[in-house]
Amino acid sequence: MTNPKTIIDIRDGKKVFGSFTALTDINLSIRQGEILTLLGPSGCGKTTLMRLIAGFETLTSGTISIDGNDCAGTPPERRPVNMVFQRYALFPHLDVFENVAFGLKVKGLPRSEVKERVNRMLNIVQLDNFANRYIDEISGGQSQRVALARALVNGPKVLLLDEPLAALDLKIRQHMLAEMKRIHAETGATFVYVTHDQDEAMILSDRVVLMEKGRIVQIDRPEDMYARPKSLFAAKFLGETNLFDATVSAVNGIGTTAVTTAGTPFLGAETEDRHVSERIIVSIRPESLSFQGGEAAQSAEGTVEDVVFIGSRSFYTVRLDDQSPVRIQVQRNGHLALPSVGDRTRIYWDSANVIMLPHA
Amino acid sequence: MSLTRTRTGTLLATPAILYMLVFFIVPSLILFAYSFWSSASYRIVPDFQFNNYLGSLASPVFWKVTFNAIRIGLFTATVTLILSILVGYYLVYVSRSQTILYLILITWFSSYLVRIYAWRTLLGTNGVLNTVLLQLGVIDHPVSAFLFSPFAVTITLVHIYLPFCILLVVSSLSEIKRDLIDAARDLGTSLIGAFFKVIAPNAANGLIGAFMLTFILVAGDYVTPQMLGGSSGQTTGLLIADQFRKTGNWPLGAAQAFLMFGISIVLYAFITALGRATGLIVKRRAKTEREI
């Protein structure tokens, strides 16, 4: 796909509730056909942002345009978007078929067309046999599918999903994630997905919008956000990581060297915008550390304090000789002898995996 | 020794059941028996005849005052329900404040009669309404028609029964989550459309209950119409009360009370049927009807 079209464009968005600023400096272009995730802890403004797009809230300042049209003053019923609510918000007085048919009937489409489109949508979400059930007669996973079908049957330009899996248990959640990807592929709709769950965001998204305290802190593909977080918040929010307070000691052609407060030097590959004696934070993921290393690898010595086995992986806690604890994740491999609790060991890492972050 | 759940339940319900039995069901049955008795020169004679019923049904006065009571009842209940829905919507979905609800209920702390006299003062020839209109030059002499009119009766009854109706409406709207309204709007209905397509069907029982209870209280209220309605103030309630208080014809009063009861039930059935016909009340199909 070359240069996909922008379907939703938000410029300088700001939303204030009384004395509380819920969102500020929101600039976001959502591309046609993508799955975009709004990710962040509760209270970061992600749901407010979604409700602004849906039209349930209005911006204090700034603009939102959908498909090129500024939608200030357009009520939710006249926006070409549909929403899947967190608790589904299915109509209890209607059966599955009537729930899905609701939007089409409101539009006044002929009965035959309503029937055909609803049935086709029920087929996509695999609920053909449940059309006549009432909402309290179906399971949580099925309710989720009805909510998806009820929104998608209207052919929205953008489908908004507000933590749609939060109410489901883990097993169904994983299954529904796969279903969501399949339905996205089948319908080709643009999905804007709100979640506080980083795993859901990673699995599902083409791009992740990371939010904190009403601001967008980073927009990136999930793998880039994981590998190259731009802030301490991003590094901590996505996945697990080891963090060290450090001071830059040298910047040269090879990279930047920073020494942790405890005294261990880390050489990072990045060279830009760093200067000597700058205070930074060094982040290194547990899976970027190992007990074996090549010629170019950096290393430090320590003592194994704790080991946790999780099937194919093990998590080690090693206390370095400078007294700082480090978490290491290793793949279990029958050929290699791994250290045990109390063993002296040496851990290795590559400069490419050393992430240097601005001090918060 | 521990009590089983059902036995505990029965035990807890017993005082209420006994109370209802002694003070409502038994007296109602006695009243029902009275309605077949006869009265001769202020004396009640045990009997079994239908003259009380047949006589009332054949009496133009009974129908006139009953029609009047029903008209006042329906009109007041409709106005009260519409206002209650607006206030209820605001309380449940917009302000979410308990304080405002308490402020509304506080009017109940004043006596019923005080409120009636207050309206007499407001609507009288020297009242606030006339004074304001005179000052504004809208009228050039005081209008006496504000008082002792169906208008005065309705405005007073709405004022008296509004808090009660709001309380019922708020409790039935509280059952309906805001999400459902948002979902309806997201799917293309206006706010008004969402009310008729989603709120009303899900709150139908509560709303009809609020309407009917208001109707029954208003239709049976004979003090306000009497004191503010003038010649239009004759209602069934007053007619029935007079049978007990003035003419001493208890059997006739009892029969008319049961006729009014029957009329209320017919009205309730009619309103429910109307709700079904207009789609505001949705009846779920039984499972067997839905098997494919």
Side-chain angles (χ1 to χ4, degrees):
Chain A
M1 210 178 350
T2 55
N3 196 17
K5 184 181 149 195
T6 294
I7 192 83
I8 291 180
D9 200 36
I10 305 168
R11 288 292 135 223
D12 303 318
K14 182 176 178 137
K15 176 65 186 174
V16 179
F17 293 107
S19 60
F20 172 69
T21 303
L23 290 170
T24 187
D25 292 332
I26 302 298
N27 286 288
L28 178 62
S29 295
I30 300 170
R31 300 168 189 158
Q32 189 160 39
E34 75 174 332
I35 303 184
L36 182 97
T37 301
L38 305 179
L39 175 69
S42 58
C44 73
K46 56 191 191 297
T47 296
T48 305
L49 183 52
M50 166 162 289
R51 290 178 65 83
L52 281 162
I53 297 171
F56 296 121
E57 307 286 352
T58 46
L59 277 177
T60 308
S61 66
T63 57
I64 296 179
S65 55
I66 301 174
D67 207 13
N69 304 310
D70 185 346
C71 51
T74 309
E77 60 265 30
R78 288 199 270 116
R79 296 191 180 200
V81 300
N82 285 111
M83 187 153 165
V84 174
F85 291 81
Q86 190 167 3
R87 301 261 161 201
Y88 320 135
L90 299 176
F91 304 126
H93 63 296
L94 301 175
D95 63 16
V96 168
F97 182 94
E98 291 296 327
N99 262 281
V100 178
F102 192 92
L104 300 179
K105 284 193 167 175
V106 167
K107 280 198 198 101
L109 295 184
R111 281 179 86 91
S112 56
E113 192 187 339
V114 171
K115 201 168 175 201
E116 192 211 313
R117 281 173 68 173
V118 171
N119 284 333
R120 198 190 325 139
M121 191 47 71
L122 287 176
N123 181 262
I124 290 179
V125 298
Q126 298 168 354
L127 282 175
D128 317 60
N129 297 326
F130 294 87
N132 291 321
R133 296 273 191 101
Y134 280 98
I135 301 313
D136 57 10
E137 297 168 345
I138 58 176
S139 70
Q142 287 163 344
S143 298
Q144 174 63 73
R145 291 159 191 266
V146 176
L148 267 170
R150 185 180 69 173
L152 279 169
V153 76
N154 303 290
K157 286 184 173 149
V158 176
L159 181 71
L160 306 168
L161 303 110
D162 185 11
E163 306 227 10
L165 305 182
L168 299 176
D169 58 49
L170 189 67
K171 240 183 170 169
I172 301 169
R173 206 183 302 172
Q174 305 216 318
H175 176 66
M176 278 311 294
L177 274 174
E179 282 290 285
M180 211 95 75
K181 276 203 135 161
R182 178 183 67 77
I183 292 164
H184 175 258
E186 263 180 63
T187 57
T190 308
F191 280 28
V192 175
Y193 189 100
V194 164
T195 185
H196 65 270
D197 186 311
Q198 43 149 325
D199 292 333
E200 281 179 26
M202 299 272 205
I203 293 167
L204 207 57
S205 325
D206 294 315
R207 288 195 302 157
V208 175
V209 176
L210 184 65
M211 299 180 67
E212 186 199 13
K213 292 178 186 154
R215 288 170 188 276
I216 293 175
V217 293
Q218 193 170 349
I219 306 177
D220 249 322
R221 298 193 310 146
E223 50 270 46
D224 292 340
M225 194 173 287
Y226 184 81
R228 264 175 295 286
K230 291 193 177 121
S231 61
L232 179 60
F233 175 77
K236 279 185 1 193
F237 199 81
L238 273 90
E240 200 191 336
T241 192
N242 295 295
L243 297 167
F244 308 94
D245 273 320
T247 308
V248 175
S249 63
V251 184
N252 55 39
I254 311 163
T256 303
T257 307
V259 182
T260 65
T261 320
T264 305
F266 282 86
L267 173 64
E270 62 176 293
T271 54
E272 291 162 36
D273 302 330
R274 295 280 173 233
H275 53 84
V276 173
S277 81
E278 182 187 356
R279 291 194 62 211
I280 59 163
I281 286 168
V282 168
S283 161
I284 187 156
R285 302 280 187 196
E287 69 273 19
S288 301
L289 295 165
S290 67
F291 294 116
Q292 296 83 38
E295 293 272 304
Q298 305 162 52
S299 66
E301 278 204 352
T303 311
V304 177
E305 270 198 351
D306 186 37
V307 188
V308 178
F309 296 104
I310 308 168
S312 61
R313 295 163 298 151
S314 297
F315 277 98
Y316 279 76
T317 305
V318 172
R319 190 165 293 272
L320 297 183
D321 291 347
D322 68 12
Q323 295 308 309
S324 42
V326 178
R327 294 261 290 163
I328 304 163
Q329 182 196 318
V330 292
Q331 290 296 319
R332 292 193 62 73
N333 184 332
H335 302 293
L336 286 169
L338 289 168
S340 320
V341 174
D343 285 358
R344 289 285 299 163
T345 184
R346 182 165 275 276
I347 58 168
Y348 299 85
W349 64 91
D350 287 327
S351 62
N353 293 323
V354 174
I355 303 158
M356 296 187 172
L357 301 165
H359 216 276
Chain B
M1 195 188 84
S2 73
L3 290 166
T4 64
R5 273 180 84 97
T6 29
R7 282 182 73 184
T8 315
T10 316
L11 212 65
L12 286 169
T14 304
I17 292 170
L18 275 178
Y19 186 92
M20 287 300 280
L21 200 68
V22 174
F23 294 106
F24 179 70
I25 296 170
V26 170
S28 296
L29 290 174
I30 293 171
L31 199 67
F32 192 59
Y34 265 124
S35 72
F36 298 102
W37 292 10
S38 58
S39 157
S41 53
Y42 295 98
R43 291 194 46 194
I44 298 156
V45 186
D47 200 347
F48 186 74
Q49 42 83 24
F50 296 93
N51 286 342
N52 296 323
Y53 287 98
L54 297 173
S56 298
L57 289 172
S59 150
V61 174
F62 176 79
W63 282 113
K64 190 178 158 255
V65 298
T66 301
F67 178 71
N68 196 32
I70 291 172
R71 200 186 51 175
I72 293 174
L74 285 181
F75 189 68
T76 308
T78 306
V79 173
T80 309
L81 183 68
I82 291 171
L83 289 175
S84 300
I85 288 169
L86 296 175
V87 175
Y89 183 90
Y90 175 78
L91 287 175
V92 176
Y93 300 114
V94 184
S95 84
R96 289 176 192 153
S97 150
Q98 295 291 316
T99 323
I100 297 170
L101 188 63
Y102 294 142
L103 284 176
I104 290 166
L105 295 179
I106 226 167
T107 67
W108 263 5
F109 283 70
S110 66
S111 139
Y112 177 92
L113 282 173
V114 166
R115 278 176 281 165
I116 291 176
Y117 276 104
W119 279 108
R120 279 177 82 128
T121 312
L122 289 171
L123 300 171
T125 40
N126 296 319
V128 176
L129 186 59
N130 267 311
T131 313
V132 169
L133 290 176
L134 277 171
Q135 297 277 346
L136 289 174
V138 180
I139 50 174
D140 47 19
H141 57 275
V143 177
S144 56
F146 291 142
L147 204 55
F148 308 124
S149 65
F151 163 74
V153 173
T154 305
I155 200 169
T156 307
L157 288 173
V158 168
H159 173 226
I160 290 171
Y161 292 106
L162 190 61
F164 170 77
C165 193
I166 286 174
L167 205 60
L168 292 173
V169 168
V170 162
S171 90
S172 74
L173 289 186
S174 309
E175 301 285 306
I176 299 163
K177 290 195 196 82
R178 222 233 119 81
D179 270 4
L180 288 187
I181 302 168
D182 285 348
R185 297 200 67 190
D186 187 64
L187 294 166
T189 67
S190 62
L191 187 55
I192 308 251
F195 175 79
F196 287 106
K197 288 198 171 72
V198 175
I199 302 179
N202 285 300
N205 288 334
L207 296 182
I208 289 178
F211 180 85
M212 280 313 294
L213 274 166
T214 310
F215 168 79
I216 287 164
L217 289 173
V218 169
D221 187 321
Y222 56 87
V223 179
T224 303
Q226 193 184 355
M227 294 182 73
L228 290 161
S231 61
S232 63
Q234 269 279 343
T235 61
T236 325
L238 189 59
L239 192 70
I240 294 168
D242 281 348
Q243 307 301 347
F244 288 90
R245 297 186 307 188
K246 290 185 184 157
T247 55
N249 193 342
W250 287 30
L252 183 61
Q256 289 175 342
F258 277 98
L259 282 174
M260 196 62 207
F261 177 63
I263 288 166
S264 296
I265 289 174
V266 170
L267 260 167
Y268 179 76
F270 176 73
I271 287 166
T272 313
L274 198 71
R276 293 248 164 80
T278 52
L280 288 181
I281 307 176
V282 180
K283 193 172 181 277
R284 282 173 73 136
R285 285 159 291 135
K287 254 202 160 119
T288 46
E289 288 174 54
R290 291 184 275 120
E291 298 297 331
I292 314 166

